């Protein structure tokens, strides 16, 4: 390989050895650079823009099939839905782990369990399946509500308008969805996220002891409510 000198914007240059130099980061150039990199070659991708990446990165011309290439790591808005900050941060963390081939335990426990929050007054948040989602998948459900109006902490806070709603798989009795509207709903939903990931049953939640007074008690209330009206 012949040593070449690369000029960087605005007035810097560094000598490098490369197996391939690609001029232009359009779809064809980007694809060629990725292919060579996958084969273990040192690749230089040049573009006339002042920032690396060129049109493929900065104007959205990166072909969608490229994002499915295992050599391309991306996080956040560039890969589309759902794109909230929380999900994007986790995507970035996992991309870094993959890039450095770090040793990690299984990363699939909470796969697909992405919480959604609406930071309005009142707050609204959910994780997992709704009744409609579950029924569309052929899953029969049982539902329970934990009303803020029956929760001591909510009444102390002066925010007794709201609830926690839990959706269970009627056959396995496992929690498959958690939804909340009201004060601190975006915080409460993480309890449901953990319980779904742990495959907790309606009995696990109903028989658990929660601190009193707390909004978290609404989970116990909702589980007990589901048991009280569990379909035959």
């Amino acid at each position: 390989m012949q040593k070449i000198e690369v000029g960087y914007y605005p007035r810097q240059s560094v000598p490098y050895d490369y197996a391939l130099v690609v001029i232009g980061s359009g779809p064809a150039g980007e694809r060629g650079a990725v292919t060579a990199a996958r084969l273990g070659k040192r690749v230089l991708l040049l573009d006339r823009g002042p920032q690396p990446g060129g049109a493929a990165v900065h104007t959205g011309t990166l072909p969608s099939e490229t994002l499915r290439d295992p050599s391309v790591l991306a996080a956040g808005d560039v890969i589309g839905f759902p794109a909230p900050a929380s999900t994007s941060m986790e995507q970035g963390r996992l991309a870094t782990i993959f890039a450095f081939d770090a040793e990690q335990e299984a990363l699939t426990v909470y796969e697909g369990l992405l919480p959604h929050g609406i930071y309005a007054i009142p707050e609204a948040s959910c994780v997992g399946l709704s009744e409609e989602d579950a029924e569309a998948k052929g899953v029969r459900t049982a539902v329970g509500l934990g009303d803020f109006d029956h929760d001591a902490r909510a009444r102390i806070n002066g925010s007794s308008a709201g609830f926690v709603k839990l959706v269970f798989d009627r056959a396995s009795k496992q929690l498959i969805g958690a939804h909340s509207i009201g004060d601190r709903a975006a915080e409460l939903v993480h309890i449901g996220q953990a319980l779904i990931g742990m495959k907790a049953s309606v009995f696990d939640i109903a028989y658990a002891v929660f601190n009193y007074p707390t909004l978290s008690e609404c989970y116990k209330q909702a589980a007990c409510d589901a048991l009280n009206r569990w379909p035959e």
Side-chain angles (χ1 to χ4, degrees), residues 128-141 169 176:
L129 300 178
S130 66
E131 292 175 83
E132 293 77 10
D133 292 335
E135 290 170 4
K137 294 176 179 291
V139 178
R140 296 189 304 163
T141 62
D169 182 332
I176 57 175

Side-chain angles (χ1 to χ4, degrees), residues 85-182:
S86 56
T87 304
S88 299
M89 287 188 289
E90 181 65 7
Q91 290 167 347
R93 187 182 74 85
L94 295 178
T96 303
I97 290 172
F98 181 82
F100 289 93
D101 198 23
E103 292 293 330
Q104 294 285 323
E105 296 181 2
L107 299 174
T108 58
V109 175
Y110 295 105
E111 182 178 359
L113 282 181
L114 305 178
H116 299 276
I118 300 174
Y119 299 94
I121 300 175
E123 288 185 2
S125 196
C126 64
V127 65
L129 300 178
S130 66
E131 292 175 83
E132 293 77 10
D133 292 335
E135 290 170 4
K137 294 176 179 291
V139 178
R140 296 189 304 163
T141 62
V143 176
L145 290 177
D147 200 313
F148 279 18
D149 194 47
H150 300 155
D151 182 83
R153 184 57 178 267
R155 297 178 70 87
I156 292 170
N157 292 345
S159 302
S160 58
F163 59 85
V164 169
K165 175 181 176 180
L166 300 182
V167 181
F168 297 93
D169 182 332
R170 198 186 307 179
S172 67
K173 295 182 171 56
Q174 289 181 354
L175 180 66
I176 57 175
H179 311 261
S180 182
I181 295 177

Side-chain angles (χ1 to χ4, degrees), residues 31 38 62-74 79:
R31 186 67 180 179
R38 290 184 63 188
L62 190 67
S64 59
E65 63 269 15
T66 300
L67 295 178
R68 294 193 291 269
D69 192 296
S71 298
V72 177
L73 305 176
I79 61 174

